[in-house]
Amino acid sequence: MGCFWFFVLCFLRLCGANVTELVGMFGKFQSPNYPEGYPSDTDITWNITVPLGFHIKLYFMHFDLEPSYLCEYDYVKITSGDMLETFCGRESTDTEKIPGQDSVFSFDNSMTVLFKTDFSNEERFTGFEAHYAAIDVDECKEKLDESSACDHFCHNYIGGFYCSCRFSYILHSDNRTCKVECSDNVFTERSGIVSSPDYPNPYPKSSDCLYRIELEDGFVITLDFTGIFDLEDHPDVLCPYDYLKIKAGMKEFGPFCGDKSPGKIATNSSRVQVLFHTDDSGDNRGWKFAYTSVGNPCPVIQPPLNGKVEPVLEIYSFKDQVQIRCNVGFKFVKGGDEVEAYQIECLKSGTWSSGIPTCKVIDCGTPLPLEDGFITFRSKDNLTLFGSRINYSCNALFYRMDPDLNTTYTCMENNFWVNDELGTDLPTCHPVCGEPRIQRPSIQPKIAQGRVVSRGSSPWIAMLSKNGIPFCGGSLIGKEWVVTAAHCLHLPSDPDNPEQIDSVLINITSFKVILGRQKTLRKEETEQEYHAKNIITHPRYNGSTFEYDIALLELPSKVKMMDYIMPICLPESSTSTLHTGDMVIVSGWGKQFLHSIPETLMEIEIPVVDHNQCKEVYSQLGRQVTDDMICAGLKEGGSDACQGDSGGPMVAVDEETNRWFLGGTVSWGDGCGEDNRYGVYSDVSKSLKWIQNITKIKNI
Ligand code: 4AZ
């Protein structure tokens, strides 16, 4: 019956329905007439709204409504989102409930409270008083559905929350999911491993990752998916959420998703792009692949004859490099140059960068000629190829090599003729010294005043000649040096005052050095004549005392040895090698008795005189015989050197070697051949070190 009247009243717009909007952060509202009995036919709605991010807490301070089965008469109905609560009566029963001490919480930031009464309130129920307040929600703790929860980190604040991401992730524009920046992945190595970010942990959401493998043309890339493959999937639609797409040249592979690995993909391309798209949800673990590349193959190489290829492989492919080497003793010839090794490379076209050169045997070429010597080939065909051997020898009669020298040279891989001891240096042919080819006759007339030198028996003698007239003698040592007396080359600076100590050097072009001469004034076929290139006087030469009266003449070229021209040996040691009584031969074109110049070279054979005896003789005359001088001659006189003989040789036979050596050079004396006077000579052994230092001559 009540229901009938309700409809009528409502239809007649007599219903007391009204709506109140409550927007504060807190407040209260009551049933009409509270705390008096509420009126019948009430229909009041309170719409409570608080700011977003807040919820509403509703608490009833008082509640007293007419009880009815399932609250069919009077009630308070609270709705918020899907939430619905209905209260009535004075106490809770099995079928109805009152709010009591419990608060009611809204689903979101709004709540609607409807108070409805029927047509009668017979017992004067007093209604209700309700309080509400906005309360903050900790969205981070509250279970939000996946579409609104933070992907990585959640931060609550009063009235709201915000999300943040782990290191290396960035917050997507949805302010919720975390994506990665992953479009700059370029792989240029020939092999490698590529995987989804964080693999095998869940990959980032809302991301588009691009991976590029970029190799040189000529390579072909193969991808091999290994391990877990797990991308968000859909049972009916092909990869609508997350997917992997692969582009290789004109070809496309994929999209791939789900848990079935794509396995091996031969892309047939040198450039591959892998696109990985993820949406804003899902917790799948991603993918990983290893990529490898092979180059275009090149044909197998046959090593050249007498050569080898390194490394030896079954297949050579693009970028592979091989070294082609010749066996020892062989070399490549490239543009006229000899090359040790050749490097060729397999090109992208599948061909080698150049052809295979041929190995040519090393040729050391004609060996260098040996001065005063010759070469003997050890092979029949005078071969100069790798491994060939030759021997150097000296021209037999006049030259000799160091006796202990191994003179074999071998053609080596460096193109040189090499000797075990000397390397590539050539041996030296030293002139034979002190061994005249022509011996003086064994029975000689003993001419006290001297005898004619038999031609060639003193082949070392040199004539110093000015305007065709001999003025001094000398001795050939080595190939280009002549020893003479220093005073022969020094002229008094004032010709009117011969006693003057200071002297000037003779003009080097004013005299000739003649070798192979026997006649005094007549040119001979056997002779060789030179202008000295250099004059070196002993540093201790004293022009007034004739100490160290010795000098060296350097010849402009090497003397060709022959029967009539051969050097004299130097003394073996620098301590005196001549002793009192030793017989020496002195030769020269100097003056003879009656002051005449001889027609030919003359020689005398005289004994070495006791140094003290000689010293004494000359000290009486006020002249000094010093230790660098040696005297020879006969007490009775007769056999002596004289003017013009100066610088000439005083020689003796070395007992040990049986060779002639230069004991002294004619220097001075008081007169010529007078009794109780001796010829004074510069002792060569005393100047030996100085001579050897300058000339580098050693006796062989
Ligand atoms: C000289 O005038 C000379 N009797 C050389 C030797 C002797 C004398 C003079 C020794 O060249």
Side-chain angles (χ1 to χ4, degrees), residues 41-59:
D41 296 324
T42 308
D43 185 346
I44 302 176
T45 299
W46 290 271
N47 282 336
I48 311 167
T49 311
V50 292
L52 274 172
F54 289 90
H55 283 195
I56 300 158
K57 178 184 173 185
L58 186 68
Y59 179 74

Side-chain angles (χ1 to χ4, degrees), residues 487 640-646 666-673 678-680:
H487 82 260
D640 196 6
C642 199
Q643 207 183 345
D645 289 323
S646 276
V666 179
S667 182
W668 60 277
D670 182 40
C672 302
Y678 302 104
V680 185

